[in-house]
Amino acid sequence: MAHRTRTHDVSTQPQSPDGQRPSGRQVAVRALLALVLLYLFLVAVGVLEDGIAQMGEGFGDAVLEGVSHPISGLFAGVLATILVQSSSVTTSTIVGLVATGVVPVETAVPMVMGANIGTTVTNTIVTMVSMRRRDEFRQVVAAATMHDLFNFLAVLVLLPLELLTGFLSSAARWLAGVVADTGITGVEATSPLAMATDPANAAVETVLSALVPAGAGLGTVMLVLGILALYVTIRYLSKNMRAVIAGPLQEKANRSVGRAGGLVGIAVGTVAAILVVSSSIVTVTLLPLVAAGALTVRNAYPITLGANLGTTVTALLAALATGQPEGLVIALVHVLFNVTAVTLIYPLPRIRYLPVRLAEGLGALAARRRWVVPVYTGGVFVALPVAAVAAG
């Protein structure tokens, strides 16, 4: 009996890549290294996003201003968010256009839905650094694209209802009136994570801007550097995390997350997105966890939905701070769209995991045909929006 107990104790400890059980000190060192790599990973994501924003600088407003059709507005929201790499910036721009009468609220509502989709592109780009590791690539593609696919499903259901009934804009106007009567004010939210990573991102941009002219050239260099940095950090981050939590401990962690339930996951994602003032940072941070096996795709799903909800708080607080009625209406449309989508889709067992199943299918296809992800990203996030905006 004693022999069986010792064997069980040994088997539940993390194993290093060479099969040897690491000491407590080695685990602590690897955990610290994982934190450092996670910080560098987030800096790399910031460099990547800044590079894309440099390449699209000045185009975001123009994309939104020239739109009059709701469907074109949807894709204009997608494209503008990709160009500026921030759904909050896109939403703020939309607020300004509505306030000045350039864009009516009815056209702005699909734009906000498009901004919700556009913010997911960073996740999909990050998956490409795992292309050479087939199993890991399959998992991270599924984890990244389930966010896209949930938002696509939400738009497919809610946009036709909004165009037919105007229920989102009507409800937002009513709520804006209620909030205005209470005298509640907001604040400009600041991300503590951004405060930690922004100096490093600014330093990288300062060094590169001394060597490369600002604009598309600087954006391209930052984009390439960001992808290279992501490749290195996500590779060694997932490797170190596997060493820390490998084996039965990894299974136990996933079981614990699964037992906590989807509502807990949604709450965690919501709070995390509020604290870091970004849904994309929360969801992109899940990718190395999935790559390392610390989190299954299905356990990451409710956290992703929570991040979708949490990011709406930032725009809402900012709209309350400005005191603009139109801004408050648009911010409330953003909130209502995400809350309604989660409320309609997640409680229904038959469709709850439809985005996950589709994402897992896309991940399996991408593992066999690695060109699928670049084609999917370019087609869905660039070619289709550009064509729709040009047509509208």
Side-chain angles (χ1 to χ4, degrees):
M1 178 66 73
H3 175 70
R4 289 195 193 111
T5 302
R6 284 194 299 270
T7 303
H8 176 74
D9 289 341
V10 169
S11 67
T12 58
Q13 298 299 318
Q15 300 291 316
S16 65
D18 59 4
Q20 300 296 316
R21 184 178 63 176
S23 65
R25 182 178 179 181
Q26 288 174 319
V27 170
V29 169
R30 284 190 177 276
L32 180 61
L33 181 58
L35 288 175
V36 172
L37 287 167
L38 180 60
Y39 174 79
L40 295 175
F41 170 76
L42 294 173
V43 170
V45 171
V47 172
L48 173 71
E49 292 181 334
D50 289 347
I52 296 173
Q54 278 277 344
M55 295 171 72
E57 190 173 3
F59 290 99
D61 291 4
V63 167
L64 296 171
E65 288 173 6
V67 171
S68 57
H69 193 277
I71 302 301
S72 297
L74 172 71
F75 288 105
V78 174
L79 189 57
T81 304
I82 292 169
L83 291 172
V84 301
Q85 281 298 288
S86 172
S87 60
S88 297
V89 171
T90 302
T91 304
S92 299
T93 303
I94 294 168
V95 167
L97 295 174
V98 171
T100 55
V102 175
V103 175
V105 170
E106 290 71 21
T107 305
V109 172
M111 288 180 177
V112 170
M113 295 182 184
N116 224 50
I117 293 173
T119 196
T120 67
V121 71
T122 304
N123 291 16
T124 312
I125 293 172
V126 170
T127 65
M128 297 185 200
V129 304
S130 298
M131 277 186 170
R132 295 180 61 186
R133 299 178 293 281
R134 178 172 294 184
D135 289 340
E136 181 179 302
F137 188 47
R138 176 173 54 83
Q139 293 295 325
V140 295
V141 167
T145 57
M146 67 183 177
H147 195 187
D148 313 343
L149 294 166
F150 176 85
N151 285 331
F152 294 154
L153 179 60
V155 168
L156 190 63
V157 173
L158 296 180
L159 181 56
L161 287 176
E162 170 63 18
L163 295 178
L164 289 171
T165 67
F167 79 104
L168 282 175
S169 50
S170 298
R173 282 194 179 97
W174 178 80
L175 282 174
V178 172
V179 172
D181 290 340
T182 64
I184 297 174
T185 58
V187 295
E188 292 289 345
T190 302
S191 168
L193 193 59
M195 292 173 65
T197 57
D198 281 353
N201 292 138
V204 171
E205 185 170 352
T206 299
V207 171
L208 292 178
S209 61
L211 304 172
V212 184
L218 178 59
T220 302
V221 172
M222 293 181 71
L223 179 65
V224 172
L225 181 62
I227 291 173
L228 290 174
L230 283 170
Y231 176 81
V232 174
T233 53
I234 200 170
R235 179 178 182 182
Y236 288 100
L237 178 57
S238 59
K239 181 178 179 180
N240 273 278
M241 291 181 69
R242 283 193 194 99
V244 173
I245 62 160
L249 186 62
Q250 172 182 318
E251 296 174 8
K252 187 182 294 185
N254 271 299
R255 282 199 304 269
S256 298
V257 173
R259 280 198 300 268
L263 292 180
V264 173
I266 291 173
V268 168
T270 302
V271 172
I274 292 171
L275 290 176
V276 303
V277 198
S278 172
S279 62
S280 60
I281 288 297
V282 175
T283 54
V284 84
T285 304
L286 296 176
L287 300 185
L289 298 177
V290 171
L295 201 62
T296 65
V297 172
R298 296 213 169 198
N299 284 339
Y301 178 54
I303 300 174
T304 298
L305 301 189
N308 246 11
L309 296 175
T311 193
T312 65
V313 174
T314 304
L316 182 59
L317 290 174
L320 287 168
T322 63
Q324 292 182 343
E326 298 87 352
L328 185 56
V329 170
I330 295 302
L332 285 168
V333 165
H334 196 193
V335 174
L336 290 172
F337 170 70
N338 282 285
V339 170
T340 305
V342 173
T343 304
L344 285 179
I345 295 171
Y346 195 77
L348 302 177
R350 289 191 176 184
I351 64 171
R352 176 183 302 163
Y353 289 109
L354 178 58
V356 179
R357 290 194 294 271
L358 292 173
E360 288 172 338
L362 183 58
L365 178 61
R368 298 193 303 271
R369 304 284 188 270
R370 296 175 190 178
W371 51 264
V372 165
V373 173
V375 170
Y376 165 82
T377 306
V380 170
F381 292 103
V382 180
L384 184 58
V386 168
V389 170

